[in-house]
Amino acid sequence: MAQIVETVRTIHLDHDQMLVLEDQRTRCVRVLHGGVWLTEPGQGQDHFLQPGQGLPLRREGALLQAQGPTQLELTHRGRGPHVAWWARLRGLASRWHLGPVPETCA
């Protein structure tokens, strides 16, 4: 049986850059630098996060928009060694602008 693995990754966003987190394994978003507006489907309230603030995600499809140059920490949770490999692949896809990047927070 594969054990549960938690992966933390750092994302850099430019001013007004948007990010859609479509992976349900993304558990948390934490702001390291800058600020972000965050909204989740089906939630009645949006959030504005500043450095040091984090928010656990309840659903996939969260939308984030940077409020200036921003650095985020995303925490993902999944099973087995393939989780880190997929996280690296998603990171490459985001740099190449190939599509949405899924994330999580603890």
Side-chain angles (χ1 to χ4, degrees), residues 46-66:
D46 293 349
H47 303 276
F48 291 91
L49 303 176
Q50 300 300 315
Q53 294 180 318
L55 186 71
L57 300 176
R58 295 177 180 86
R59 313 174 172 225
E60 62 185 61
L63 173 66
L64 294 86
Q65 182 176 18

Side-chain angles (χ1 to χ4, degrees), residues 26-29 38 40 47 49 54-59 105-106:
T26 300
R27 299 286 182 228
C28 184
V29 172
L38 184 150
E40 291 181 90
H47 303 276
L49 303 176
L55 186 71
L57 300 176
R58 295 177 180 86
R59 313 174 172 225
C105 180

Side-chain angles (χ1 to χ4, degrees), residues 51-94:
Q53 294 180 318
L55 186 71
L57 300 176
R58 295 177 180 86
R59 313 174 172 225
E60 62 185 61
L63 173 66
L64 294 86
Q65 182 176 18
Q67 305 296 299
T70 299
Q71 183 178 17
L72 302 173
E73 179 180 88
L74 303 170
T75 306
H76 306 269
R77 181 175 283 186
R79 295 190 176 274
H82 66 281
V83 173
W85 185 83
W86 277 110
R88 175 171 274 170
L89 182 61
R90 285 191 301 268
L92 290 173
S94 71

Side-chain angles (χ1 to χ4, degrees), residues 12-18 65-70:
H12 298 274
L13 299 175
D14 291 326
H15 177 70
D16 280 340
Q17 187 175 357
M18 299 179 97
Q65 182 176 18
Q67 305 296 299
T70 299

Side-chain angles (χ1 to χ4, degrees), residues 2-22:
Q3 66 183 30
I4 294 179
V5 177
E6 192 167 271
T7 306
V8 177
R9 107 179 232 245
T10 303
I11 301 279
H12 298 274
L13 299 175
D14 291 326
H15 177 70
D16 280 340
Q17 187 175 357
M18 299 179 97
L19 176 67
V20 178
L21 303 177
E22 293 185 323

